[in-house]
Amino acid sequence: MRLISRYGLILALFTIAILMFSSCGSRKNMVYLQADSTQLNNIYERNIPKIQPNDILTIVVTAADPKVTMPFNPISMMPNGNLTQQTDLALRPTYTVDNNGDVLLPILGKVHIAGLTRTEAIEKLREELERYIKEPGVNINFNNFRVSVLGEVARPGSFVLPTERVTVLEALGMAGDMTIRGVRENVMLIREVDGKKSVHRLDLTKQDVLNSPYYYLSQNDVVYVEPNKAQINNSKLGSNTNVIISIAGLLITVISVLTR
């Protein structure tokens, strides 16, 4: 009995040691944006997302006299006496940017807006509309500004955003932040521009990431947080835990029988 207790104690200590080792970490690997001598000079305007083919945009034309905008807003100007605000927003005219980067608008016809920021596209449409409307207003919003966050985060998934100004930290926040097992020094960002995919790495433990041209996300970006070595080792151990425990139990039983 004393021998069994000894082996049981050894097994328990071995298990505790594994758990302690797998949970070890350091401040350097865990804390975001650690203070250093980096001079922060990131300007959002340098990295504003551009309109791309296949983007879906809500475009609404306004003016002092709403009647003159009716031909340009054929859906949003429908009678809506009993419609809720949410339904009315859903009925606002939407347009898909074609493969050539054009949108087909009422009266104006095809207008090329791919490669422009939302603000630049608004100004271009205003100039086109001034031929028909005095002092027109234009509002453009992305309907499909989506980013995906995968890997070692609390709630991985895809998120449709109401604004195109979103940072990688905000995207991680929407996904519930990284788990303690996520590698903060090597976050992968996958971006597609003009049909070509590129991969970029971000070290979120350094303030210099705020100066990165990839700190602000573009539509359809994918953020992937890889697991650290401890998590990878735990996954290997976890798949064999039952086998290890069974073998350990069998050895203790055999030793118990042989030492009686």
Side-chain angles (χ1 to χ4, degrees), residues 117-172:
T117 65
R118 188 176 69 91
T119 302
E120 292 169 343
I122 287 174
E123 186 58 32
K124 182 170 185 176
L125 292 184
R126 283 187 71 256
E127 292 176 358
E128 296 284 339
L129 287 164
E130 283 178 347
R131 294 182 293 165
Y132 307 95
I133 302 174
K134 182 179 180 180
E135 297 182 355
V138 179
N139 186 27
I140 299 178
N141 287 306
F142 287 92
N143 274 24
N144 67 329
F145 199 96
R146 179 192 306 270
V147 297
S148 299
V149 186
L150 307 174
E152 284 295 333
V153 292
R155 297 186 299 274
S158 295
F159 307 91
V160 179
L161 309 175
T163 175
E164 73 274 16
R165 181 165 180 156
V166 60
T167 69
V168 63
L169 291 178
E170 290 170 330
L172 289 170

Side-chain angles (χ1 to χ4, degrees), residues 23 25 55-56 68 90 148 166 238:
S23 62
D55 276 347
I56 301 174
V68 302
S148 299
V166 60

Side-chain angles (χ1 to χ4, degrees), residues 225-238:
V225 180
E226 65 182 59
N228 59 21
K229 291 182 180 180
Q231 175 65 2
I232 294 173
N233 292 335
N234 284 344
S235 66
K236 295 178 181 178
L237 178 64

Side-chain angles (χ1 to χ4, degrees), residues 1 30 62 70 99 127 146-147 186 188 209 222 224 258:
M1 290 296 292
M30 297 301 298
T62 60
M70 292 181 65
N99 291 333
E127 292 176 358
R146 179 192 306 270
V147 297
N186 196 31
M188 181 189 298
V209 73
V222 177
Y224 172 70
L258 294 177

Side-chain angles (χ1 to χ4, degrees), residues 31 33-34 45-46 76 106 111-112 167 206 221-222 233 252:
V31 177
L33 308 178
Q34 296 172 39
E45 284 69 20
R46 295 178 183 174
S76 65
V111 181
H112 188 79
T167 69
K206 296 182 178 179
D221 276 357
V222 177
N233 292 335
I252 291 174

Side-chain angles (χ1 to χ4, degrees), residues 178-204:
M178 292 189 206
T179 68
I180 196 172
R181 300 174 294 274
V183 177
R184 287 152 173 77
E185 306 98 315
N186 196 31
V187 174
M188 181 189 298
L189 173 66
I190 303 172
R191 176 168 295 176
E192 181 175 343
V193 179
D194 298 328
K196 297 180 180 179
K197 292 183 174 64
S198 58
V199 176
H200 311 277
R201 300 283 180 169
L202 300 172
D203 184 350
L204 299 185

